[in-house]
Amino acid sequence: AQSVAQPEDQVNVAEGNPLTVKCTYSVSGNPYLFWYVQYPNRGLQFLLKYITGDNLVKGSYGFEAEFNKSQTSFHLKKPSALVSDSALYFCAVRDTNAGKSTFGDGTTLTVKP
Amino acid sequence: DGGITQSPKYLFRKEGQNVTLSCEQNLNHDAMYWYRQDPGQGLRLIYYSQIVNDFQKGDIAEGYSVSREKKESFPLTVTSAQKNPTAFYLCASSETGGGNTIYFGEGSWLTVV
């Protein structure tokens, strides 16, 4: 079985400050990990993914995420937040042996000017 | 442009009525998915298909039906057996294989009137 947890329903940061959105996962095999962003009334947009290799993954719009196998985490980060980053963020995991992905419940990021 | 097209964007269903949501992709992806998203909540998998003429139930398949007669099309029917169908429905597609990114359509709102 595979699962993913986003422990924070909401994250608030000031514009220009660094941001972190947390994600932890559980899989029986090796994980494939993904981050998506959703703006109101829209579909999900892909930000970045970890498949294998370097633990630090860089993605779209200046976002990056760090894969930590010992802590089973894949936190999303950005050095300097923008107001336009305000949105709903989803972490997803897929076991190498699974036929489908599992999504977290989402974290609402609010960046205040 | 390549992508996933969902229609209609907004749909109203009367009690006891079946409705069908359309999903078409021109990305040449083998796998297609339907998710349900309730306001302020995460994604729940309804059905998925990894190849034409084959599909599997997801976590909340009761009250829904699908078909996959063509590679590019994966329509979802919300039947009268689905007692609480009001939600945002997202169609998605990907190549098969765990590390492949899932791409989403813009979603369809279904409301019971």
Side-chain angles (χ1 to χ4, degrees):
Chain A
Q2 60 189 28
S3 65
V4 61
Q6 294 182 240
E8 301 160 316
D9 290 335
Q10 185 134 7
V11 171
N12 299 311
V13 298
E15 188 174 30
N17 283 0
L19 70 87
T20 299
V21 183
K22 296 180 180 178
C23 173
T24 59
Y25 67 90
S26 175
V27 296
S28 56
N30 291 318
Y32 298 124
L33 294 155
F34 305 81
W35 275 103
Y36 293 84
V37 61
Q38 185 182 33
Y39 296 98
N41 205 30
R42 304 291 299 276
L44 277 66
Q45 297 176 32
F46 168 72
L47 282 178
L48 52 79
K49 67 180 177 183
Y50 171 83
I51 305 299
T52 187
D54 195 345
N55 290 342
L56 184 63
V57 179
K58 294 187 182 295
S60 306
Y61 313 118
F63 284 94
E64 58 188 29
E66 186 167 11
F67 171 64
N68 188 316
K69 188 173 183 178
S70 63
Q71 297 186 3
T72 61
S73 67
F74 189 57
H75 301 331
L76 182 70
K77 299 182 179 184
K78 187 174 183 181
S80 179
L82 300 172
V83 172
S84 57
D85 292 331
S86 298
L88 182 58
Y89 289 81
F90 288 98
C91 181
V93 66
R94 185 168 179 172
D95 191 300
T96 50
N97 299 318
K100 55 181 180 173
S101 298
T102 299
F103 286 78
D105 289 336
T107 298
T108 299
L109 172 67
T110 301
V111 181
K112 296 184 178 180
Chain B
D1 287 346
I4 301 169
T5 302
Q6 290 187 237
S7 62
K9 180 69 175 180
Y10 300 96
L11 186 61
F12 298 90
R13 192 194 91 169
K14 295 181 179 179
E15 295 282 351
Q17 190 179 50
N18 293 354
V19 294
T20 297
L21 304 179
S22 170
C23 179
E24 302 279 332
Q25 55 101 355
N26 61 5
L27 300 170
N28 201 33
H29 287 164
D30 286 313
M32 296 189 73
Y33 314 82
W34 274 105
Y35 292 90
R36 169 176 171 150
Q37 184 178 23
D38 291 281
Q41 297 189 28
L43 277 65
R44 291 184 290 172
L45 182 64
I46 305 172
Y47 270 98
Y48 65 107
S49 167
Q50 293 182 301
I51 196 169
V52 174
N53 293 321
D54 188 41
F55 48 83
Q56 288 78 42
K57 292 181 179 180
D59 302 316
I60 56 163
E62 185 175 352
Y64 300 97
S65 66
V66 294
S67 63
R68 186 85 187 276
E69 297 176 0
K70 298 186 297 182
K71 186 176 184 177
E72 59 270 24
S73 180
F74 192 42
L76 173 73
T77 297
V78 184
T79 75
S80 57
Q82 172 50 243
K83 297 306 178 186
N84 185 23
T86 296
F88 191 52
Y89 290 87
L90 288 160
C91 180
S93 72
S94 73
E95 298 286 359
T96 53
N100 290 302
T101 301
I102 296 175
Y103 295 92
F104 287 82
E106 288 295 294
S108 294
W109 278 105
L110 174 62
T111 303
V112 174
V113 296

